[in-house]
Amino acid sequence: MQKGSCCDLKRNRQGRIRKKRRLGRVLLLGAVIAGAGWAVWSFLPNFDREQPEWRTVEKPIFIEGKWSGYHAVGSGESLKLPLSLIRESIHAYAYEDPDGETAILTTANELLVMAKDGKTAESNGKAYALASPLQEEEGSLYVPVEPLERLYGIRIEEQSPAGSVVVLRAGDRFRSGSAVDGGLFGSPKLRGDATLKAPIASELEAGTKLRVWNERDGWLYAQTADGSSGYIRESEVQLGQEEQIPVPETAPTAASREWADQKVNLAWEAVYERRPDPEVIEEMQGVNVVSPTWFELKDGAGNIRSKADSAYVGRAHNRGKQVWGLFSNSFEADWTREMLGDYETRANAIRQVLDEAAEYKLDGINLDFENVYTEDKAPFVAFVREFTVRARQAGLTVSVDVTPKSNSEMWSAFLDRRALGETVDFMMLMAYDEHWASSPKAGSVASLPWVEQSVSRILEEDEVPASKLVLGIPLYTRVWTETEENGEVKVSSSAVGMETSQKLVDENGAKRELLADVGQNYAEYKEDGALKRIWLEDGESLKRRIDLARKHDLAGVASWTRSFASAQAWEILQTVNEK
């Protein structure tokens, strides 16, 4: 190879090396510049500004520092809040009657009814003067703030006749504060999120008063007096005292005081065409409440039928027993819907039942509504709240009957057990008819595991206090008849009381067997070629049910029905209040 060629190769190789070095330096410089740019970008805040949606709304309403999506009307004494907002965010039991012209506000002890454009409302049946009437605007009802402040303990801060309205609810907690100098980047700022990269919601001056609602990762969620809200760095706020809006005191109900040291031991008295002899009161030893089925709905206008008997009440009172008259809807779904659908018809039914209670000197009312359309769930709660307030005003204890939770539309799904539990003094769990009269399969009326599951679901899922839940106990069972037709088992049943079922077992020489899985004695025998099966309600099952009520510290027991009981049943029921 020639010498010149070797030199050329060497020069070419050195050139390539120099190019690679220059490229490396360029790439390194680019990386340094990019890194520096990223660092600067990371350090620099977002200077973009966002316009809150509420800025275009007149009198926007704020709750917990956030726009509620609603606006108020009026100002000063005539300021009003939308009823929908009140129900959603202030009190769940403030509601509109289906007529669209009546607003109803309730607490545990007060029922306030306002008609559109009326200068006077009705509070617990008495006239109540309003500073400003209920108003309708764009299809929505607006409620004056004065009764809201009194009933629910809210506070209102109105910025100006057209400015923001801040609603502070009873129990709300927050801290006062003021903005301080923003440092390197100027004035302190509220941002849309807890990061410098969030757009600016509002620029503040040092000293601007703030209400601080919560803290997140070194940022505070705060609001100014004009409604502006957002996140501000903790270093830009001088924090003051923590404050809490007082919660109105609720006096204990008469029932909660009266039953604080004893359990309810109730027996229902099924009353049909013939009045029971008051002498039957003497049978029910240990029972402290009797509940005769005296009152029932007789039409959709809220009129009732009464079978009340002063002699029965007198004998019960003489024996130290309270009388809680039962009021049923006659299991008539259409009448019930019509009655529940309007405040006036609900009030008519309530008035008639309470008049009867006063005339016969009753101590309470037991509400037993069954076979109700699922769509009437909310109207039924409204009725029970209205009934309870007026009944308590009359010195009565109110209880409501509920079935165990199931998918049955007309017998279970319509019951809002949580709302009812928040309303009444006691809730009677009718823990029977696990296998009902026309059940396709024979079985226990109320097996112990099924009963306990029914109790637990209401305590846990619906959060009904144990101190309000009363366990319903069956004093009856079913005699199941199984026959075989064309290779299929046909099942039928008849309900019998405790003594009758025992007699059938004894007369037919059947052997009793304690079934651990259901907690009851079981017997079977043949009659005319058919298999007879009985899951017995006897002393054994009754003791276990009372023990279950004690285990969950329930408010007591309620037995259906007096005429089905045996002498042994009353002896065992006497133990309900034993310590």
Side-chain angles (χ1 to χ4, degrees):
M1 181 180 292
Q2 294 181 358
K3 185 176 181 181
S5 298
C6 290
C7 290
D8 289 341
L9 288 172
K10 185 176 182 180
R11 282 194 297 271
N12 289 338
R13 186 165 56 251
Q14 290 174 342
R16 287 196 297 271
I17 292 172
R18 285 194 295 271
K19 286 180 180 179
K20 287 181 180 180
R21 288 174 178 170
R22 284 198 299 271
L23 179 60
R25 287 195 292 270
V26 169
L27 291 174
L28 177 61
L29 180 60
V32 170
I33 293 172
W38 181 85
V40 171
W41 180 88
S42 299
F43 179 71
L44 286 175
N46 188 339
F47 292 102
D48 292 339
R49 287 164 172 74
E50 63 179 4
Q51 178 77 354
E53 185 180 358
W54 59 265
R55 287 288 186 191
T56 61
V57 177
E58 186 171 326
K59 303 193 77 65
I61 300 171
F62 293 87
I63 294 178
E64 287 190 335
K66 298 178 181 178
W67 181 41
S68 65
Y70 291 93
H71 71 279
V73 298
S75 62
E77 288 190 352
S78 65
L79 182 69
K80 301 177 179 72
L81 305 183
L83 184 55
S84 297
L85 168 73
I86 297 165
R87 181 165 190 171
E88 290 173 14
S89 302
I90 297 175
H91 199 280
Y93 303 118
Y95 48 90
E96 178 180 340
D97 200 56
D99 66 7
E101 297 186 347
T102 306
I104 300 170
L105 310 181
T106 69
T107 67
N109 299 301
E110 186 166 351
L111 171 65
L112 184 66
V113 183
M114 293 175 281
K116 187 178 72 172
D117 300 328
K119 295 182 179 180
T120 303
E122 180 185 281
S123 174
N124 288 356
K126 298 180 180 179
Y128 181 92
L130 295 171
S132 184
L134 181 71
Q135 176 180 331
E136 182 181 2
E137 182 174 293
E138 297 179 351
S140 297
L141 293 179
Y142 283 76
V143 179
V145 297
E146 182 276 323
L148 299 175
E149 292 172 323
R150 184 179 63 81
L151 290 174
Y152 303 137
I154 66 169
R155 289 184 184 174
I156 300 293
E157 293 183 357
E158 189 178 7
Q159 176 67 13
S160 67
S164 61
V165 175
V166 174
V167 177
L168 301 175
R169 300 173 301 182
D172 277 352
R173 290 179 179 271
F174 52 85
R175 293 187 71 174
S176 60
S178 59
V180 298
D181 189 273
L184 178 62
F185 298 108
S187 63
K189 298 171 179 63
L190 295 173
R191 294 185 178 275
D193 203 352
T195 170
L196 285 171
K197 294 305 174 185
I200 298 168
S202 181
E203 291 202 36
L204 309 177
E205 294 182 0
T208 300
K209 299 298 182 184
L210 297 171
R211 179 175 285 119
V212 178
W213 288 99
N214 55 60
E215 182 271 338
R216 191 177 91 191
D217 300 329
W219 291 76
L220 303 175
Y221 186 79
Q223 184 178 33
T224 65
D226 73 349
S228 297
S229 59
Y231 289 90
I232 183 171
R233 288 183 296 180
E234 193 170 358
S235 60
E236 296 179 341
V237 178
Q238 181 176 348
L239 288 170
Q241 295 293 319
E242 183 177 65
E243 300 179 42
Q244 181 178 16
I245 304 301
V247 177
E249 291 187 11
T250 301
T253 63
S256 66
R257 294 193 302 269
E258 183 174 5
W259 293 94
D261 298 321
Q262 62 175 324
K263 299 294 186 182
V264 173
N265 187 358
L266 177 146
W268 279 293
E269 178 79 68
V271 181
Y272 302 105
E273 296 305 317
R274 182 179 174 183
R275 290 179 176 177
D277 188 334
E279 192 68 26
V280 300
I281 296 292
E282 307 301 330
E283 301 173 9
M284 297 182 275
Q285 299 302 309
V287 167
N288 50 28
V289 182
V290 288
S291 182
T293 60
W294 277 341
F295 311 119
E296 59 188 15
L297 195 65
K298 71 176 184 180
D299 58 34
N303 294 309
I304 70 161
R305 183 182 294 108
S306 172
K307 303 173 187 172
D309 179 5
S310 57
Y312 188 97
V313 175
R315 178 65 70 91
H317 283 168
N318 286 339
R319 296 297 180 265
K321 304 181 194 304
Q322 292 194 11
V323 182
W324 297 356
L326 183 145
F327 172 38
S328 87
N329 64 332
S330 300
F331 301 175
E332 290 284 352
D334 291 330
W335 287 355
T336 304
R337 165 162 287 182
E338 187 178 348
M339 185 275 286
L340 294 177
D342 183 78
Y343 173 73
E344 292 301 330
T345 51
R346 297 195 301 271
N348 184 40
I350 293 169
R351 184 167 48 250
Q352 290 187 39
V353 172
L354 296 187
D355 285 348
E356 291 284 315
E359 180 178 349
Y360 289 93
K361 298 180 174 58
L362 304 186
D363 307 285
I365 296 293
N366 175 232
L367 300 173
D368 183 31
F369 277 48
E370 302 180 50
N371 194 38
V372 177
Y373 294 118
T374 307
E375 296 80 8
D376 292 329
K377 176 184 285 191
F380 180 59
V381 171
F383 169 76
V384 174
R385 286 195 69 83
E386 292 159 14
F387 191 102
T388 300
V389 171
R390 298 302 302 273
R392 282 177 177 159
Q393 187 186 11
L396 298 171
T397 297
V398 180
S399 59
V400 65
D401 301 339
V402 302
T403 55
K405 299 181 76 168
S406 74
N407 295 325
S408 175
E409 289 286 330
M410 305 289 284
W411 302 92
S412 179
F414 80 93
L415 291 163
D416 186 340
R417 294 166 181 82
R418 179 185 297 270
L420 295 171
E422 292 172 349
T423 300
V424 297
D425 297 307
F426 295 107
M427 177 179 287
M428 290 12 195
L429 173 58
M430 299 182 291
Y432 35 81
D433 279 350
E434 176 186 6
H435 294 86
W436 58 101
S438 58
S439 175
K441 180 181 178 181
S444 171
V445 167
S447 66
L448 263 293
W450 177 82
V451 171
E452 183 155 29
Q453 181 187 50
S454 300
V455 169
S456 297
R457 289 191 67 186
I458 291 179
L459 293 176
E460 296 168 8
E461 296 174 15
D462 300 303
E463 297 183 325
V464 174
S467 60
K468 285 190 174 187
L469 190 62
V470 176
L471 178 62
I473 291 177
L475 300 180
Y476 68 96
T477 187
R478 298 192 187 281
V479 179
W480 297 92
T481 302
E482 293 185 356
T483 58
E484 189 171 325
E485 297 179 18
N486 301 321
E488 292 185 4
V489 176
K490 299 293 184 181
V491 179
S492 61
S493 74
S494 60
V496 297
M498 298 176 77
E499 289 187 349
T500 299
S501 62
Q502 298 288 347
K503 184 178 179 181
L504 286 171
V505 171
D506 292 340
E507 288 180 347
N508 288 279
K511 181 182 178 181
R512 294 172 178 81
E513 177 188 2
L514 181 61
L515 302 180
D517 60 334
V518 296
Q520 290 175 270
N521 283 311
Y522 168 80
E524 63 179 49
Y525 58 90
K526 287 290 187 76
E527 183 181 274
D528 298 330
L531 177 63
K532 300 286 187 175
R533 308 179 70 189
I534 306 176
W535 282 260
L536 290 160
E537 293 299 337
D538 54 15
E540 182 66 33
S541 66
L542 196 52
K543 288 176 184 176
R544 290 174 181 244
R545 298 185 196 286
I546 292 172
D547 287 344
L548 191 152
R550 287 198 181 106
K551 173 184 174 181
H552 292 278
D553 196 21
L554 301 185
V557 300
S559 305
W560 179 266
T561 170
R562 189 272 311 165
S563 61
F564 282 139
S566 64
Q568 183 190 36
W570 302 123
E571 292 176 5
I572 294 171
L573 284 168
Q574 287 188 66
T575 67
V576 168
N577 271 295
E578 289 183 358
K579 301 298 184 183

